[in-house]
Amino acid sequence: TAGTSYQRSTVKPASEAHRHAIAVGVALLYVTFISSAFAAIKVSVKYCPPFTLLAVRYLAAGACMALLVRIVGDPWPTRRNWARIGVLGVIQWLLPAAINFIALRHASAGMASIMYATNPLLMAALGSRLLGERLTVTRMVGLLLGFGGVVAVMLTRVGAGRADTHLGVFLLFLAVLGMVCGTLLFKRFPVRESLFVVNAVQALVAGVLLVPISLLLE
């Protein structure tokens, strides 16, 4: 019994450490993809109107994920849940991305990446109040250092003869705030469908809604 207890006590922390390492690795990969996307978007909005570009992007992504859902065999949601997931997609996908695409006409890709770095900082700050997540001293110090770094970079870039304008920075902040609000809603009211289905529905709904907007405005 003592030997079994010892083995369990030694194996469990190793398993938790392994899961933590995977989570950190996936998070870093996600941040890398998101940050590198700003450079591509910055170039794209020079040759294509933002809403049209976003509509094509979401419809293409939604079609690919819908095919993935079919291959995996996950069930599609009911009509009521389609609407619920679609509203979440508008808040979490459509509005932040639309604002972000417009903002990149008034700010550089580097500034967009810097502003996006405030996403986890805002999430940690608001999550402690709205989700009851514990805000430890270490997290508080991390928040202060993170926001301090963003402010320091912004002060040296905005209005210093660069492509970054106050309007662009403000719009980028609104886009990040929209992403955070969407994440909070997703966390507060979790969906039961698979993440493949949720992402496919969100992308398709956002893409379809953007089509008339792009036709009217662009």
Side-chain angles (χ1 to χ4, degrees):
T1 304
T4 304
S5 301
Y6 174 76
Q7 289 178 357
R8 289 178 179 177
S9 64
T10 55
V11 171
K12 186 175 181 180
S15 178
E16 292 180 355
H18 181 67
R19 289 196 297 268
H20 177 71
I22 293 177
V24 172
V26 172
L28 291 175
L29 184 63
Y30 170 75
V31 171
T32 302
F33 283 151
I34 290 294
S35 300
S36 61
F38 289 118
I41 296 172
K42 179 65 177 180
V43 175
S44 301
V45 294
K46 292 183 178 180
Y47 304 99
C48 182
F51 293 142
T52 302
L53 177 63
L54 195 57
V56 173
R57 177 191 182 197
Y58 277 161
L59 289 175
C64 292
M65 285 187 285
L67 179 61
L68 183 60
V69 170
R70 183 176 180 84
I71 294 174
V72 175
D74 290 337
W76 289 97
T78 62
R79 292 184 179 180
R80 181 178 181 181
N81 289 340
W82 260 86
R84 179 171 57 87
I85 298 174
V87 171
L88 185 62
V90 170
I91 298 174
Q92 192 173 13
W93 286 48
L94 195 156
L95 292 179
I99 297 174
N100 184 47
F101 274 44
I102 297 174
L104 281 174
R105 289 191 163 188
H106 305 278
S108 64
M111 178 59 72
S113 299
I114 294 170
M115 291 301 297
Y116 186 80
T118 63
N119 188 323
L121 303 178
L122 290 173
M123 189 65 218
L126 295 177
S128 62
R129 302 295 300 272
L130 301 178
L131 300 177
E133 295 181 350
R134 184 182 178 186
L135 189 60
T136 61
V137 176
T138 303
R139 290 185 178 183
M140 181 66 71
V141 174
L143 289 176
L144 294 176
L145 291 175
F147 279 116
V150 171
V151 171
V153 174
M154 287 174 55
L155 291 177
T156 59
R157 292 178 65 96
V158 177
R162 299 174 180 267
D164 303 308
T165 64
H166 291 86
L167 175 61
V169 173
F170 175 72
L171 292 175
L172 288 172
F173 178 76
L174 286 183
V176 173
L177 188 61
M179 294 179 186
V180 172
C181 291
T183 304
L184 289 172
L185 288 175
F186 188 85
K187 186 77 172 180
R188 190 71 179 270
F189 306 102
V191 295
R192 297 179 179 179
E193 293 78 11
S194 71
L195 294 181
F196 289 143
V197 173
V198 171
N199 282 280
V201 171
Q202 288 183 340
L204 290 173
V205 170
V208 170
L209 292 178
L210 281 167
V211 170
I213 297 176
S214 61
L215 291 176
L216 288 174
L217 300 180
E218 300 175 341

